[in-house]
């Protein structure tokens, strides 16, 4: 069986070779009938043999030149009927004739299939006569329509395969774009957070240096070095990351997103038409700015995906403060994607944020349907 399958795969990969095998097999079959049916085929072999070869051997090129093949095969088919009339012709020659008609309908485009079909019908009428037009019309017309149906199916399959390929490329491109945009947004927020913190350090170092006056010169020099290094760091960070802020971007003027604003976020989603239930577990604590912003953005993106992809649904938000981590969970009962690779490209941004802090993200179909997003971020607290 494995050898047979290997032969089949080889023939499919080399269509000309498979057509050549078919053509020579049919030639041998037709010639065997010519040489073994002398009591029935009483005509001259000088007619039977060359016309049999002309009706079978060209089938090796039935995909490459379907019009020429059907012209040769059906022309020989009709010529044999005219030359030998009323002497009978080999019945098996109908097989290569039908294959030629099928091939021109299945492999040609434009006007060629119709011309080939008409030529074949004319040859069939010559074969049996105009009085018996129904039989050649049914036989050769059926082969022609079968070829057209197969061609349409192949074209549809190719179109669907191309569409699937384009959609896959588009999905990958959208994921990359979403990840890049999310990295830009994270960079902007980190630029604000780190810039604010370093600015406070520089100001405090400068104020402490001025308060010391001329006392403790070594401490004054250390504070001056801190102040100078902080200003240089701010300038370098502005040069590297400031370009990410688009002109007119209002991020610097807006309040920094915070997990403490989750009530306002839930209210916004309710105003947008999404029923949301919020539950906060554990004792809330002040988080580091980057973790705080990331936690808020993860909840925001998860709820946005519910609005976009879940359809009519209800969402449940849980913020759970633990000893070492903060856990965020957004569950809906809608009909969103069944895995994390669906149309919710915001999941790429969530993963970026979670991985930035060494946390974990789980996203997928819930046990009772719908979609679940669960993120865990290390709980790095800051003094109040």
């Amino acid at each position: 069986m494995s050898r047979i399958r290997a032969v089949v795969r080889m023939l499919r990969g080399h269509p000309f070779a498979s057509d050549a095998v078919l053509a020579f097999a049919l030639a041998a079959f037709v010639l065997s009938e010519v040489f073994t049916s002398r009591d029935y085929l009483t005509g001259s072999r000088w007619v039977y043999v060359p016309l049999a070869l002309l009706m079978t051997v060209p089938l090796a090129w039935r995909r490459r030149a379907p019009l020429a093949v059907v012209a040769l095969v059906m022309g020989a088919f009709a010529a044999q009927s005219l030359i030998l009339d009323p002497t009978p012709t080999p019945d098996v020659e109908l097989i290569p004739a039908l294959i030629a008609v099928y091939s021109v309908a299945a492999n040609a485009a434009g006007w060629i299939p119709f011309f080939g079909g008409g030529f074949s019908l004319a040859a069939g009428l010559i074969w049996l006569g105009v009085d018996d037009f129904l039989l050649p019309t049914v036989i050769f017309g059926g082969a022609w329509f079968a070829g057209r149906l197969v061609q349409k199916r192949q074209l549809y399959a190719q179109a669907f395969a191309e569409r699937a390929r384009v959609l896959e490329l588009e999905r990958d491109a959208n994921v990359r774009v979403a990840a890049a945009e999310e990295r830009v947004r994270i960079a902007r927020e980190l630029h604000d957070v780190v810039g604010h913190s370093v600015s406070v350090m520089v100001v405090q170092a400068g104020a402490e240096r001025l308060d010391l006056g001329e006392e403790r010169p070594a401490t004054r020099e250390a504070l001056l070095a801190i102040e100078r290094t902080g200003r240089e760091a701010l300038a370098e960070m502005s040069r590297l990351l400031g370009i990410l802020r688009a002109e007119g971007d209002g991020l610097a003027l807006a309040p920094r997103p915070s997990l403490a604003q989750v009530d306002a976020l839930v209210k916004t989603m309710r105003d947008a038409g999404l029923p949301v239930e919020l539950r906060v577990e554990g004792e809330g604590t002040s988080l580091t700015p980057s973790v705080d912003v990331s936690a808020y953005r993860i909840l925001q993106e998860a709820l946005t995906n519910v609005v976009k992809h879940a359809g009519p649904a209800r969402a449940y938000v849980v913020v759970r403060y633990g000893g070492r981590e903060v856990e965020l969970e957004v569950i809906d009962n809608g009909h969103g994607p069944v895995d994390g690779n669906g149309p919710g490209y915001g999941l790429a941004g969530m993963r970026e944020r979670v991985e930035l802090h060494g946390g974990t993200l789980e996203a997928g179909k819930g046990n009772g349907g719908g979609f679940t997003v669960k993120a865990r971020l290390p709980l790095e607290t800051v003094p109040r």
Side-chain angles (χ1 to χ4, degrees), residues 44-118:
S44 173
R45 291 184 181 179
W46 292 101
V47 177
Y48 285 128
V49 173
L51 290 177
L53 294 175
L54 195 59
M55 275 186 276
T56 54
V57 174
L59 291 176
W61 291 269
R62 69 186 186 92
R63 299 182 212 230
R64 296 187 175 184
L67 181 60
V69 169
V70 76
L72 287 173
V73 173
M74 298 307 296
F77 189 76
Q80 181 178 247
S81 299
L82 291 174
I83 295 171
L84 296 177
D85 186 46
T87 305
T89 58
D91 296 332
V92 296
E93 290 177 346
L94 188 61
I95 298 176
L98 292 175
I99 294 176
V101 176
Y102 167 85
S103 300
V104 75
N107 301 310
W111 57 269
I112 295 179
F114 299 96
F115 181 82

Side-chain angles (χ1 to χ4, degrees), residues 271-292:
D271 294 340
L274 175 66
V276 184
E277 295 183 14
L278 171 65
R279 187 170 76 250
V280 179
E281 301 178 1
E283 183 179 355
T285 182
S286 297
L287 307 177
T288 58
S290 60
V291 173
D292 203 10

Side-chain angles (χ1 to χ4, degrees), residues 11 28 158 313 372:
L11 292 177
Q158 292 173 1
T372 300

Side-chain angles (χ1 to χ4, degrees), residues 160-224:
F160 284 135
E162 179 65 18
R163 179 173 176 81
R165 186 185 69 83
V166 171
L167 289 177
E168 184 176 358
L169 293 175
E170 182 180 354
R171 185 195 67 180
D172 294 340
N174 287 338
V175 169
R176 288 193 297 269
V177 169
E181 291 177 350
E182 191 65 18
R183 287 192 183 104
V184 170
R185 187 164 68 172
I186 292 172
R188 289 173 178 172
E189 292 171 353
L190 287 177
H191 179 266
D192 289 345
V193 171
V194 176
H196 172 74
S197 300
V198 174
S199 297
V200 171
M201 292 166 56
V202 170
V203 171
Q204 289 178 340
E208 185 66 21
R209 179 176 58 83
L210 293 175
D211 287 344
L212 285 176
E214 298 300 328
E215 302 176 0
R216 300 165 63 184
T219 304
R220 291 182 69 254
E221 288 299 324
L223 292 173
L224 182 60

Side-chain angles (χ1 to χ4, degrees), residues 355-378:
E355 291 172 0
L356 179 67
H357 300 287
T360 60
L361 177 71
E362 300 174 11
K365 187 176 181 181
N367 294 331
F371 200 77
T372 300
V373 174
K374 183 182 293 185
R376 295 182 178 88
L377 296 173

